[in-house]
Amino acid sequence: MGLLDGLIAGVVGSVLPRVLYTAVATLEQSNTNGLSVLGTLFAPTLPPFLSDDPAHDPFPWGDRTDSGTNPYLEYPLTGDVRRYEFVISRGVIAPDGYEREVLLVNGAYPGPLIEANWGDTIVVKVHNNITGPDEGTAIHWHGFLQHETPWEDGAPGISQCPITPRGTYQYEFVASLYGTSWYHAHYSAQYTGGIVGPIVVHGPTHEKYDIDLGPVMLSDWYHKEYFDIVEEMLAPHGNPKVYSDNNLINGKMHFDCSTLPPNDTHRCTNNAGLAQFRFHTGKTHRLRLINSGGDGVQRFSIDEHTLTVIAEDFVPVQPYNTTVVTLGVGQRADVLVTANASKSPNATFWMRSNLTSCSPAHQPYAVAAVHYDQANTSTTPDSRAWDVPDPENCANDPLGTSEPLFPIPVPKPTMVEEMGIELFRNESDVALWRFNGVSMRTDYNAPVILLANDGVFRYPEEWNVVNCRNHTKIRIIVNNRGGGSHPMHLHGHNFYVLHEGHGEWDGTIVRPSNPTRRDVYLVRANGHLVIQFDGAPGVWAFHCHIAWHASGGFLTTLIVRPDKVEQLEIPRDVEKTCRSWDLWSKYNIVDQIDSGT
Ligand SMILES: *[C@@H]1O[C@H](CO)[C@@H](O)[C@H](O)[C@H]1NC(C)=O
Ligand SMILES: *[C@@H]1O[C@H](CO)[C@@H](O)[C@H](O)[C@H]1NC(C)=O
Ligand SMILES: *[C@@H]1O[C@H](CO)[C@@H](O)[C@H](O)[C@H]1NC(C)=O
Ligand SMILES: *[C@@H]1O[C@H](CO)[C@@H](O)[C@H](O)[C@H]1NC(C)=O
Ligand SMILES: *[C@@H]1O[C@H](CO)[C@@H](O)[C@H](O)[C@H]1NC(C)=O
Ligand SMILES: *[C@@H]1O[C@H](CO)[C@@H](O)[C@H](O)[C@H]1NC(C)=O
Ligand SMILES: *[C@@H]1O[C@H](CO)[C@@H](O)[C@H](O)[C@H]1NC(C)=O
Ligand SMILES: *[C@@H]1O[C@H](CO)[C@@H](O)[C@H](O)[C@H]1NC(C)=O
Ligand SMILES: *[C@@H]1O[C@H](CO)[C@@H](O)[C@H](O)[C@H]1NC(C)=O
Ligand SMILES: [Cu+2]
């Protein structure tokens, strides 16, 4: 096939010229993704669980099953410790052929895979090597409950002080849920600069599959450094809408360098290289989809193949068939795909992820190549795309499409909060978000959890803390009168999604006997989202997962069971991190240009 054979039809309704897609990469993996092997045919497939002999060893989780065990009440404690060491540094890579300064975990984008069995303890020693200019950091383990360890949640100013440049903090927590997730920096909008990576916790699955192909990270991508984007966005007269430049699958995609101004083409290479996957003809593959982007809602599909969804976030669901899966930032879906669209072992297909029309994006269409057993990997696919319109108002796929495998009815709430979303301009004409009446700004030097642990429960208004007192059946109605959707993420919990829709909530609950449970859900444009959760003692961020919106103040912190938080035995290292940060910030300027989270 020639270089131009993979020409894709022009992007409908977009100002962008055509993008050329060829299967042959012009850049080495080290240039595009540093030390990551994700997105290459060398990426390892994953075992059903970690052991020396998974074919013969018993399940580490015993006879617990995905359909028969309530993981919030009963999870194994294997005693196995999975240790990782992360060095976070500045670097230069070109994921899509456009070279830029990034932040890397162990020199890789995406960062290394964290893998554990259900009930294992995960220990990650994080070294902050972000220097020149120096910057703090903190890493959040998305979707982990942290129920005995809320101080390991990684939200700066909420559950810890940032790790100082040249400093180290060791996180330690239990994998009490299983499935697919990710980690990312929670300091400013740092994670959009590259500090992200996948997490797989192996657990029971009653659905059969042959091959676990591992993480498939879907991410919008920006050609500017995160700091410059935030600075520009939060300048007087700034635009709160931030456009992404490209869309990546496992950190890879092409970019059409001819769309750049002439003075900016020198750092751009066409046909950088796409992510590739190997399918085995007739076999069933598990893909672990993760929207690890900064803003956009992804719609994932594989040409001519049906997807069977078996889990959403950390929640196994009754399997259902679909052609497209919609994922807001932070959401995950585990899907099974049988390689049965062609009988030829030489077949190749496009994998696609389209950002919805609501997502601000200059180039919303990501593709990767799926090769059957014997396909020549230089072949450019020539497959037929599914064509399924975006959900209306930038929402998730309809609530009710999926149903948790282990049913839990929603209890009666004892506390009901309504929280509104507002975009406004302050007196300096800076565009900011107000959530529950306040535009949040964190204090890196005074994490709420340490103050609460000391019995201090009065905070500056701009921290936007809500004390839920002794309530543990907490319902939150999020009202969105704006024209965009927001992926709402609650730390430390899977919440019940009671209702989501246009306008005001009418009081109805979708499937009260077993509502959808997730840790992120989209509130649509001009709509509402009603969630409820069984509150666990701790200090938990509840926020929009669009990095730019969180930077603009779209975050609240919930204190659950303050009496128990006072009794927490927080390790000395948490306080030590604060002492280091206090000292460091006394002699260095902390350029906190945003909410800080
Ligand atoms: C694969 O395709 C490329 C480009 O068409 C060609 O140069 C190469 O020889 C092919 N390899 C095999 C093993 O057929
Ligand atoms: C720390 O970061 C610098 C670049 O900023 C890099 O040269 C150095 O190798 C990094 N150190 C480690 C231990 O990764
Ligand atoms: C290219 O030129 C434009 C217009 O003069 C300028 O605004 C922009 O900053 C330049 N870009 C680079 C990368 O130098
Ligand atoms: C998905 O489709 C396959 C083939 O048509 C079918 O065997 C299977 O039962 C379907 N699964 C569900 C959950 O509907
Ligand atoms: C392939 O398998 C899927 C289930 O994974 C099923 O829905 C679909 O109908 C099958 N396609 C063909 C062509 O057999
Ligand atoms: C697959 O491609 C190889 C060459 O790469 C060729 O020898 C073989 O005949 C092809 N098989 C089919 C079924 O097309
Ligand atoms: C994704 O976008 C492409 C255009 O690049 C389009 O052909 C395809 O139908 C879209 N996918 C879905 C699922 O609508
Ligand atoms: C407006 O918000 C910006 C960003 O948080 C802040 O720096 C500035 O001081 C605010 N202006 C006023 C008048 O409060
Ligand atoms: C919470 O506190 C109130 C008043 O102090 C008390 O009446 C109520 O029983 C408590 N609820 C729980 C769940 O402890
Ligand atoms: Cu938002």
Side-chain angles (χ1 to χ4, degrees):
M1 262 209 192
L3 217 64
L4 300 180
D5 288 1
L7 194 70
I8 294 263
V11 171
V12 185
S14 158
V15 292
L16 257 198
R18 293 159 178 239
V19 179
L20 304 182
Y21 297 120
T22 69
V24 186
T26 56
L27 291 177
E28 299 284 331
Q29 178 74 0
S30 57
N31 298 125
T32 54
N33 300 86
L35 295 173
S36 173
V37 292
L38 216 59
T40 71
L41 295 171
F42 304 106
T45 59
L46 306 183
F49 58 92
L50 300 180
S51 92
D52 294 334
D53 188 5
H56 299 99
D57 281 350
F59 294 127
W61 47 85
D63 56 9
R64 295 175 185 84
T65 63
D66 52 355
S67 57
T69 307
N70 182 338
Y72 313 106
L73 300 178
E74 200 205 323
Y75 56 87
L77 282 174
T78 63
D80 288 333
V81 180
R82 309 290 167 190
R83 289 182 193 280
Y84 292 85
E85 194 150 355
F86 284 0
V87 180
I88 301 175
S89 307
R90 295 188 187 279
V92 175
I93 54 168
D96 61 350
Y98 184 90
E99 195 175 273
R100 53 158 288 192
E101 293 193 14
V102 291
L103 296 160
L104 299 174
V105 183
N106 294 355
Y109 175 75
L113 170 69
I114 288 183
E115 212 178 343
N117 293 328
W118 188 22
D120 288 355
T121 297
I122 296 173
V123 174
V124 190
K125 195 169 191 176
V126 176
H127 304 279
N128 177 359
N129 183 32
I130 309 176
T131 57
D134 294 6
E135 216 171 88
T137 194
I139 309 293
H140 172 57
W141 318 96
H142 187 111
F144 283 77
L145 298 183
Q146 305 287 10
H147 279 180
E148 308 298 324
T149 53
W151 56 83
E152 305 287 32
D153 193 44
I158 299 167
S159 58
Q160 68 167 101
C161 291
I163 309 168
T164 56
R166 297 166 199 83
T168 295
Y169 181 78
Q170 179 166 297
Y171 293 90
E172 177 168 346
F173 52 91
V174 172
S176 70
L177 297 177
Y178 54 92
T180 302
S181 199
W182 61 307
Y183 57 86
H184 61 83
H186 216 294
Y187 181 103
S188 185
Q190 225 174 33
Y191 86 81
T192 64
I195 310 176
V196 293
I199 307 181
V200 171
V201 180
H202 298 288
T205 318
H206 78 297
E207 285 300 300
K208 298 265 180 297
Y209 56 89
D210 303 300
I211 300 151
D212 188 339
L213 287 177
V216 182
M217 302 189 77
L218 314 173
S219 179
D220 48 19
W221 185 247
Y222 300 79
H223 284 169
K224 281 189 193 160
E225 277 193 76
Y226 96 84
F227 194 89
D228 295 337
I229 294 174
V230 173
E231 215 168 32
E232 211 171 285
M233 174 184 79
L234 295 182
H237 331 298
N239 185 356
K241 222 176 187 179
V242 178
Y243 280 78
S244 58
D245 294 299
N246 210 344
N247 196 17
L248 313 180
I249 295 178
N250 276 346
K252 304 176 74 65
M253 183 51 191
H254 292 329
F255 186 75
D256 181 357
C257 301
S258 75
T259 61
L260 294 170
N263 61 351
D264 201 21
T265 53
H266 61 280
R267 59 164 109 189
C268 188
T269 308
N270 281 309
N271 296 314
L274 299 174
Q276 310 207 49
F277 296 87
R278 181 72 78 181
F279 275 16
H280 292 277
T281 313
K283 300 275 193 227
T284 300
H285 306 76
R286 180 179 188 156
L287 302 176
R288 299 165 176 274
L289 315 179
I290 305 162
N291 183 339
S292 55
D295 187 332
V297 177
Q298 301 278 359
R299 303 200 66 234
F300 177 90
S301 63
I302 301 176
D303 289 2
E304 302 174 41
H305 290 75
T306 306
L307 312 172
T308 305
V309 179
I310 60 166
E312 292 172 339
D313 299 352
F314 266 151
V315 182
V317 298
Q318 301 272 9
Y320 72 94
N321 289 339
T322 185
T323 53
V324 186
V325 174
T326 305
L327 293 174
V329 177
Q331 290 184 314
R332 291 88 67 208
D334 286 49
V335 301
L336 303 184
V337 192
T338 302
N340 63 359
S342 169
K343 291 204 165 58
S344 166
N346 290 2
T348 65
F349 298 88
W350 286 125
M351 173 188 286
R352 299 176 197 267
S353 203
N354 295 0
L355 293 167
T356 66
S357 57
C358 311
S359 309
H362 292 309
Q363 198 306 95
Y365 305 113
V367 290
V370 172
H371 306 295
Y372 278 20
D373 308 69
Q374 287 159 40
N376 181 335
T377 55
S378 303
T379 313
T380 301
D382 173 26
S383 50
R384 280 166 294 131
W386 298 107
D387 185 4
V388 181
D390 290 348
E392 60 172 21
N393 293 310
C394 332
N396 271 123
D397 296 327
L399 193 58
T401 302
S402 66
E403 179 167 358
L405 203 52
F406 184 88
I408 304 179
V410 62
K412 252 177 103 89
T414 59
M415 171 179 173
V416 180
E417 280 277 308
E418 285 208 44
M419 298 191 178
I421 300 166
E422 247 181 293
L423 179 63
F424 71 104
R425 286 187 182 270
N426 74 6
E427 282 87 79
S428 324
D429 201 25
V430 172
L432 295 169
W433 295 88
R434 242 186 233 122
F435 185 41
N436 199 26
V438 178
S439 184
M440 188 268 193
R441 192 178 161 87
T442 199
D443 183 341
Y444 286 146
N445 298 68
V448 177
I449 199 167
L450 289 184
L451 292 172
N453 188 236
D454 275 348
V456 177
F457 291 99
R458 299 184 63 131
Y459 316 109
E461 195 195 345
E462 68 175 12
W463 295 6
N464 202 12
V465 179
V466 174
N467 191 330
C468 301
R469 309 203 181 276
N470 63 359
H471 293 287
T472 56
K473 308 283 173 250
I474 301 160
R475 178 176 293 180
I476 299 178
I477 303 163
V478 178
N479 289 312
N480 179 22
R481 303 221 159 74
S485 69
H486 303 276
M488 300 305 305
H489 174 45
L490 175 63
H491 288 216
H493 299 82
N494 281 330
F495 50 73
Y496 307 95
V497 186
L498 306 188
H499 204 266
E500 190 283 327
H502 185 75
E504 302 261 319
W505 183 39
D506 65 4
T508 56
I509 294 175
V510 176
R511 210 183 330 104
S513 60
N514 184 21
T516 287
R517 299 189 299 270
R518 293 194 84 141
D519 58 48
V520 182
Y521 208 77
L522 286 165
V523 56
R524 71 178 61 194
N526 306 304
H528 62 268
L529 166 67
V530 186
I531 66 158
Q532 189 171 311
F533 61 99
D534 300 324
V539 174
W540 310 111
F542 179 45
H543 65 96
C544 173
H545 215 303
I546 293 177
W548 321 119
H549 297 183
S551 276
F554 194 157
L555 185 146
T556 180
T557 294
L558 309 174
I559 300 185
V560 180
R561 292 299 303 265
D563 54 329
K564 298 262 190 185
V565 175
E566 266 192 85
Q567 290 159 15
L568 289 174
E569 300 207 6
I570 301 180
R572 287 189 170 279
D573 271 357
V574 178
E575 218 180 290
K576 232 171 98 187
T577 303
C578 282
R579 280 205 301 277
S580 303
W581 181 259
D582 279 342
L583 191 66
W584 188 81
S585 56
K586 208 150 123 191
Y587 298 104
N588 296 272
I589 291 165
V590 179
D591 209 355
Q592 190 184 336
I593 52 171
D594 64 1
S595 73
T597 59

